[in-house]
Amino acid sequence: MLQPMLELAGESMPGAVYLLAGQTLHRSGKPQNAREMLATVKTDDPAFVAARSLLGRISLESGDGELALSYFEAAMRQYQAAPAELMAGRWHALHQLGRDVEAREVY
């Protein structure tokens, strides 16, 4: 549904469009396609944090705690004080990796 628009826009497309495409693909049960869309959101784009947060959640769902942790930490670097959703994702990733001491510190 969004694919024709994404193909036409190229580099000028705002990250919010890729975020929406990623959310749609994730809900449609296509995590790899969702990852591809979400990964294209650039660091300076307002949708970056939400895209990295969803990438982190997708990675947790697939059991890749290391990758999830890197996504949550990348999103957190954009804030002085990280939103609760990112902190919770970071905690979950650390817990999944068995890094319980660090997880307790995040909690």
Side-chain angles (χ1 to χ4, degrees):
M1 179 160 112
L2 294 171
Q3 193 62 35
M5 184 172 63
L6 293 170
E7 289 172 1
L8 290 174
E11 294 287 319
S12 64
M13 185 67 69
V17 174
Y18 292 104
L19 175 59
L20 178 61
Q23 291 168 329
T24 302
L25 289 164
H26 178 244
R27 289 185 179 158
S28 298
K30 299 177 181 175
Q32 183 55 40
N33 297 100
R35 283 186 186 112
E36 292 167 7
M37 287 293 121
L38 296 166
T40 63
V41 180
K42 294 180 172 53
T43 308
D44 61 344
D45 192 288
F48 176 79
V49 172
R52 287 303 179 272
S53 180
L54 182 51
L55 281 165
R57 289 195 313 268
I58 292 169
S59 297
L60 285 172
E61 290 169 6
S62 69
D64 192 341
E66 286 291 338
L67 186 58
L69 185 59
S70 71
Y71 284 132
F72 288 121
E73 289 178 346
M76 289 173 69
R77 285 192 286 275
Q78 301 299 316
Y79 285 97
Q80 296 291 336
E85 177 185 347
L86 297 178
M87 295 297 289
R90 186 168 183 255
W91 174 87
H92 194 136
L94 288 166
H95 183 69
Q96 190 177 79
L97 292 168
R99 293 165 56 180
D100 293 330
V101 172
E102 291 172 84
R104 274 193 298 271
E105 290 173 4
V106 169
Y107 183 78

